[in-house]
Amino acid sequence: MPRTEPIRRVRGIRDLMPQERALWRTVEKAAARVARSFGYQEIVTPILEHTDLIERVGSDTDAVAKELYRFEDRGGRNLALRPEATAGIVRAYFEGGLNQGPQPARLFLIGPMFRYDRPQKGRYRQFFQFDVEAIGVASPALDAEVVELAGSWLREVGLSDLDLELNTIGDSKCRPAYLELLRAYYRPLKEKLHGDCQRRLETNPLRLLDCKVPQCQPFKGKAPRITDHLCDECTDAWAMVRRLLDTAGIEYRLNPYLVRGLDYYTRTVFEFYPGGASGQQDALVAGGRYDGLAEAEGWPSTPGVGFAGGLDRVTEVVAASGAEVIPEPAAEVVVLADAGLEVAAAEVARVCRAARSVAVDYEPKSLRAKMRSANKLGARWVVLLSAADAERHAAQLKDMASGEQAEVSWKDLPERLS
């Protein structure tokens, strides 16, 4: 049979190897711990959603228009791999009856998202997010709360040098008039704009403000600012968000060009960056208020606010910062047995698992080689089993840190390992 090339992983999707998982687990555990400390509960939603759900809430975004993984299943249903979590969480909020319970529903999710983006360092077609949502209450205090939660998570994992950018984009009451001002300003400049911005000028002019193409940058400075055209309610909410952040001692920079390009986003928007970085590619966390999202999905109008944090990006920055992460041992106890003692070794391992994680080395190699392997695994203890010891249901327990070794009966091993 002719030899074939080995099948490799799908382009743009990576494996997370065991040696990487220690850092990832640290970041994930910190996310869950911080979220729970703010009163948020974990939710798990499917990675598959109806394509209509995703398209209805984001048809003008690259994540949907260009990057959505969509397909037709065997039943003829149009489905998509989720490119973000918020739309699905809002759907689950209603379908699961959370809208009938105490409000707001404070929810968090940790899991994979999918976008057919150009693969590059820090950007993958399967990526992972920590997503936080507070749904059901319009208070600007929740805007400040999720900002504080996001910053607390990033600091918890060792990222103290952070920049927070903040803006407001008004709401359905004051934003339409502002968008007309924005169109009026940009229309005479249309031929000088990038092609995407020319297309968005009439349909989604807010996106012109966060365009990163160099040819569009000179025009931002004189563009009208939404903060000069807020209604009274948005003005009061904007003042309250800043007051709460000031009271909490959270530093931020006002960025009038920070926007969300979809109609369902309202008022507060924010992003966290590593100190000195800027631009969407560098953002660790991005979020905002989305009081129009539920209605866009076909549900009753319901306020919400939240953020998504990129685990791929955060772990990358934490690793680059030199923060010490102690690898978790593959097994705390390794059982080493003479040849022919596989049954006894497996039994000893079962006994020890009452107290610690255990692995058995079944390889037919020398004791010295087995000890080297146990050391590489980071084992805290080694259980040495000979034929004579096995007959007496005894073993030699060695402490790898101190080097001390003592005979212990099998039944006493869990107590000695506790």
Side-chain angles (χ1 to χ4, degrees), residues 66-83:
K66 300 178 181 179
E67 301 167 4
L68 188 64
Y69 278 97
R70 65 185 85 207
F71 61 95
E72 185 177 294
D73 73 1
R74 292 183 179 181
R77 289 171 288 266
N78 292 313
L79 304 178
L81 295 176
R82 64 185 183 193

Side-chain angles (χ1 to χ4, degrees), residues 21-36:
R21 282 298 299 162
L23 174 56
W24 274 74
R25 193 170 289 109
T26 296
V27 171
E28 291 165 350
K29 286 182 176 179
R33 184 168 57 249
V34 170
R36 290 192 176 100

Side-chain angles (χ1 to χ4, degrees), residues 25-63:
R25 193 170 289 109
T26 296
V27 171
E28 291 165 350
K29 286 182 176 179
R33 184 168 57 249
V34 170
R36 290 192 176 100
S37 75
F38 278 75
Y40 287 70
Q41 296 178 299
E42 187 171 16
I43 186 172
V44 177
T45 62
I47 63 171
L48 283 177
E49 295 283 359
H50 288 289
T51 305
D52 285 350
L53 175 77
I54 308 300
E55 291 181 335
R56 191 180 299 183
V57 301
S59 59
D60 194 53
T61 64
D62 286 347

Side-chain angles (χ1 to χ4, degrees), residues 216-229:
C216 297
Q217 301 308 302
F219 311 122
K220 289 184 181 181
K222 294 183 180 180
R225 297 188 176 188
I226 182 63
T227 47
D228 297 328
H229 303 277

Side-chain angles (χ1 to χ4, degrees), residues 335-345 348 383-396 407 410:
V335 179
L336 308 180
D338 290 346
L341 295 179
E342 290 84 358
V343 173
V348 169
V383 177
L384 301 164
L385 189 62
S386 67
D389 287 339
E391 286 184 7
R392 297 182 293 109
H393 279 212
Q396 304 298 315
E407 182 176 299
W410 291 5

Side-chain angles (χ1 to χ4, degrees), residues 150-386:
S152 297
W153 170 52
L154 295 174
R155 287 188 292 274
E156 179 86 0
V157 298
L159 301 179
S160 56
D161 184 14
L162 297 168
D163 290 335
L164 168 62
E165 293 189 351
L166 194 70
N167 194 25
T168 180
I169 55 174
D171 64 10
S172 59
K173 181 178 179 181
C174 56
R175 192 164 58 212
Y178 167 70
L179 294 181
E180 282 306 315
L181 290 174
L182 204 57
R183 290 187 184 99
Y185 168 76
Y186 271 107
R187 277 170 183 148
L189 304 169
K190 182 174 181 179
E191 297 306 315
K192 299 179 181 180
L193 299 176
H194 180 262
D196 284 344
C197 287
Q198 291 183 22
R199 176 177 56 82
R200 289 169 175 156
L201 174 55
E202 300 301 330
T203 60
N204 200 352
L206 270 183
R207 295 295 303 279
L208 274 65
L209 296 178
D210 72 347
C211 176
K212 306 299 187 295
V213 178
Q215 74 188 72
C216 297
Q217 301 308 302
F219 311 122
K220 289 184 181 181
K222 294 183 180 180
R225 297 188 176 188
I226 182 63
T227 47
D228 297 328
H229 303 277
L230 298 174
C231 61
D232 291 342
E233 291 85 352
C234 286
T235 298
D236 292 343
W238 181 225
M240 178 58 72
V241 170
R242 287 176 293 154
R243 178 183 175 188
L244 288 164
L245 294 179
D246 291 340
T247 301
I250 298 173
E251 296 182 359
Y252 55 86
R253 182 175 73 88
L254 299 179
N255 178 359
Y257 309 122
L258 180 61
V259 302
R260 291 287 179 269
L262 298 172
D263 289 342
Y264 61 72
Y265 277 105
T266 58
R267 300 183 179 173
T268 307
V269 291
F270 67 94
E271 291 181 348
F272 277 94
Y273 298 91
S278 64
Q280 217 168 23
Q281 303 294 334
D282 296 316
L284 302 174
V285 167
R289 177 160 285 281
Y290 48 84
D291 290 350
L293 178 55
E295 195 170 7
E297 292 187 12
W299 302 106
S301 180
T302 304
V305 63
F307 69 80
L311 294 176
D312 301 82
R313 183 76 179 113
V314 169
T315 53
E316 179 185 276
V317 174
V318 171
S321 72
E324 183 178 2
V325 178
I326 300 173
E328 296 179 356
E332 296 171 289
V333 182
V334 175
V335 179
L336 308 180
D338 290 346
L341 295 179
E342 290 84 358
V343 173
E347 178 60 26
V348 169
R350 281 192 288 272
V351 171
C352 292
R353 286 192 187 104
R356 299 286 176 177
S357 60
V358 184
V360 182
D361 189 337
Y362 292 109
E363 280 291 292
K365 55 189 177 185
S366 69
L367 177 61
R368 177 174 293 184
K370 286 175 178 276
M371 290 295 291
R372 281 199 302 267
S373 295
N375 195 50
K376 288 180 180 179
L377 286 172
R380 178 69 175 80
W381 293 274
V382 164
V383 177
L384 301 164
L385 189 62
S386 67

